[in-house]
Amino acid sequence: MVVYYQIAGKKVGSHVLSMGVLGTMFAGSWAATRGGGKPKTAAGPPINAESKEEGDFIQQFLKEVDGGDKKPAQH
């Protein structure tokens, strides 16, 4: 059995109201739990190298320094 409610001068069935509420709840929870974009990495200061080799050496050194803390501890 359907109960009709008068909303804004129109008859609206209870089943339509329940579908609207459920749809709003699911859409709201989906939108609230979506992950954000990828975190933006902060760009460091520019590397002023005299030559390409020096620039490559600095880049490699920075990669080693940043990756050194990520090694798993051995027991």
Side-chain angles (χ1 to χ4, degrees):
M1 298 191 73
V2 178
V3 177
Y4 287 97
Y5 297 97
Q6 188 143 358
I7 299 175
K10 297 199 175 210
K11 285 186 178 180
V12 180
S14 59
H15 63 288
V16 174
L17 290 175
S18 65
M19 288 188 299
V21 169
L22 289 174
T24 303
M25 294 295 291
F26 283 118
S29 63
W30 174 78
T33 58
R34 287 183 54 201
K38 292 181 181 178
K40 296 181 179 179
T41 57
I47 298 172
N48 297 326
E50 296 291 325
S51 66
K52 180 160 174 44
E53 290 178 356
E54 184 180 1
D56 293 340
F57 173 76
I58 293 171
Q59 290 290 338
Q60 183 64 30
F61 176 76
L62 291 175
K63 285 181 186 176
E64 288 177 8
V65 170
D66 289 340
D69 297 337
K70 297 179 183 176
K71 293 180 182 175
Q74 295 181 0
H75 297 286

